[in-house]
Amino acid sequence: MSCIFVTNSTKLLFDGNNLFPDTPLPNPQSPFKGTVVMAVRNLSVEMTFALLGFADYPELQIPLFLLFLIMYIITVVGNLGMIVIIKINPKFHTPMYFFLSHLSFVDFCYSSIVTPKLLENLVMEDKNIFYFSCMLQYFLSCTAVVTESFLLAVMAYDRFVAICNPLLYSVVMSQRLCALLVSGSYLWGMFGPLVLLCYALQLNFSGHNTINHFFCEYTALIAVSSSDILIPHLLPFGFATFNEVSTLLIILTSYTFIFVTVLNIHSASGHRKAFSTCASHLTAITIFHGTILSLYCVPNSKNSRQTVKVASVFYTVVNPMLNPLIYSLRNKDVKDALRKLIDTKVPFH
């Protein structure tokens, strides 16, 4: 494998550790010498990882493949369907559905980042993934998780304003504020994982490494490194704790005010409408944050690798599938819009 480095004065071509004889030798005192040697060492071997996944249960490979395939199809159809319904129906051009469309987009992306490789590894003997593909999968999947956690917090704040300050709702939740809240969720979703990625790229890996997981999850990835992983090990714990504390604080505060407001509503229909509006969101929050808290906000020694893998299925595969079902089946407006869309596209005679 060749590696090319170009400077202002010379071009160096390496093949493994051998210089081509017709190329000039680098100056021994050159400041690029260390960089060149390190790059050649790192790229002289094409680094791969093997994703162990659920290989411990060979008899379950085909049943798991079929199960995850069905769940992935439901995820794609449900989330893209939700985005289309919200986009084409003017009735849903409100802040709540604006946030919901972005949640569906994140869920679709997240599932598409993780599930196809999981399905491939369940039926293929070659379970390898290239180094850069693994790092990219980690970064994108972590970005999706963090973004979703903050989108759920934003949606809680939206419900707080809608129920506690209904007369000011359209003023407070302006298009500009909604755009800023969503943009902030995406930007923070990328920032934290980017910091972790920078540390992961500095780790040393030797030869062929087996990751005891079904995707390139950060703690499983650094576990196979030969470097000192104290700081990379503490970083996700601190990062996840900060995210969970900040988002759950917003959610709990919002719903505390919501429940107090609902208790002051004297009509039974008002109670039902308010709780119906929040029930779907609370269900999604419970599933998502319950899994994240159990995985990343407790010491790793408390969880076996198998427990981590099973729990990871919930927030990587199950949760993205359930969100569109939760928000559609419990929402009369969405069900009516879906029914009208089906009747329009497939008329019955």
Side-chain angles (χ1 to χ4, degrees):
M1 181 179 180
S2 63
C3 182
I4 302 175
F5 296 87
V6 180
T7 68
N8 292 333
S9 59
T10 186
K11 178 188 289 187
L12 303 178
L13 287 158
F14 289 85
D15 187 5
N17 293 322
N18 300 319
L19 277 167
F20 288 113
D22 57 340
T23 55
L25 290 171
N27 186 338
Q29 303 303 321
S30 170
F32 296 102
K33 180 181 177 182
T35 304
V36 170
V37 172
M38 181 64 72
V40 171
R41 188 187 69 180
N42 289 341
L43 297 178
S44 60
V45 177
E46 198 166 20
M47 186 76 68
T48 60
F49 298 98
L51 294 172
L52 186 60
F54 298 97
D56 294 340
Y57 306 98
E59 70 282 359
L60 296 178
Q61 300 296 291
I62 299 302
L64 285 175
F65 172 82
L66 295 174
L67 175 63
F68 290 142
L69 177 61
I70 293 171
M71 294 173 72
Y72 180 59
I73 293 172
I74 295 173
T75 299
V76 172
V77 173
N79 284 292
L80 292 183
M82 184 71 75
I83 294 172
V84 170
I85 289 173
I86 293 172
K87 184 70 174 178
I88 67 176
N89 196 324
K91 184 178 182 180
F92 297 136
H93 294 175
T94 63
M96 182 179 78
Y97 290 104
F98 173 71
F99 298 135
L100 182 56
S101 66
H102 281 277
L103 182 68
S104 296
F105 172 72
V106 170
D107 280 334
F108 164 73
C109 292
Y110 191 24
S111 184
S112 297
I113 292 164
V114 174
T115 310
K117 187 63 179 177
L118 167 60
L119 294 173
E120 177 189 331
N121 287 346
L122 285 170
V123 294
M124 301 292 289
E125 290 186 8
D126 184 7
K127 303 180 186 300
N128 291 338
I129 183 171
F130 290 118
Y131 174 82
F132 289 111
S133 298
C134 188
M135 292 298 177
L136 181 62
Q137 187 190 53
Y138 147 69
F139 174 71
L140 293 177
S141 61
C142 190
T143 296
V145 171
V146 178
T147 301
E148 178 160 344
S149 68
F150 279 87
L151 281 176
L152 290 173
V154 167
M155 293 172 73
Y157 175 73
D158 172 72
R159 293 299 83 208
F160 157 71
V161 177
I163 294 174
C164 299
N165 298 285
L167 298 178
L168 297 176
Y169 180 68
S170 59
V171 177
V172 175
M173 300 304 295
S174 63
Q175 288 187 350
R176 181 174 180 273
L177 178 61
C178 291
L180 286 174
L181 290 173
V182 168
S183 300
S185 298
Y186 283 115
L187 288 174
W188 179 253
M190 289 186 289
F191 173 75
L194 187 60
V195 173
L196 296 179
L197 178 64
C198 291
Y199 275 93
L201 290 173
Q202 296 178 34
L203 298 176
N204 292 321
F205 300 92
S206 55
H208 194 80
N209 303 279
T210 300
I211 298 177
N212 192 8
H213 215 302
F214 59 84
F215 75 109
C216 293
E217 189 264 344
Y218 188 78
T219 57
L221 179 63
I222 65 175
V224 299
S225 171
S226 56
S227 303
D228 181 9
I229 61 170
L230 177 60
I231 294 179
H233 184 76
L234 292 176
L235 276 176
F237 172 76
F239 181 60
T241 302
F242 172 79
N243 287 338
E244 287 299 295
V245 169
S246 57
T247 54
L248 287 177
L249 185 62
I250 295 171
I251 291 169
L252 293 175
T253 302
S254 298
Y255 275 100
T256 299
F257 283 104
I258 288 172
F259 287 135
V260 170
T261 302
V262 169
L263 291 176
N264 292 328
I265 299 176
H266 299 293
S267 65
S269 61
H271 282 171
R272 284 196 300 271
K273 184 177 180 180
F275 282 120
S276 176
T277 303
C278 300
S280 301
H281 188 226
L282 283 173
T283 304
I285 287 172
T286 302
I287 296 172
F288 179 81
H289 283 283
T291 307
I292 298 298
L293 284 169
S294 65
L295 283 178
Y296 297 107
C297 296
V298 295
N300 280 349
S301 58
K302 300 291 184 181
N303 296 318
S304 69
R305 258 303 134 189
Q306 291 303 114
T307 302
V308 170
K309 281 192 279 190
V310 172
S312 297
V313 169
F314 278 89
Y315 76 87
T316 58
V317 181
V318 177
N319 195 62
M321 178 194 70
L322 288 181
N323 276 347
L325 299 177
I326 291 170
Y327 285 103
S328 61
L329 295 178
R330 297 189 62 88
N331 190 310
K332 184 177 181 298
D333 292 335
V334 174
K335 286 190 289 186
D336 290 343
L338 180 60
R339 192 177 297 113
K340 289 179 182 178
L341 181 64
I342 294 174
D343 292 342
T344 301
K345 299 296 181 182
V346 188
F348 295 97
H349 300 286

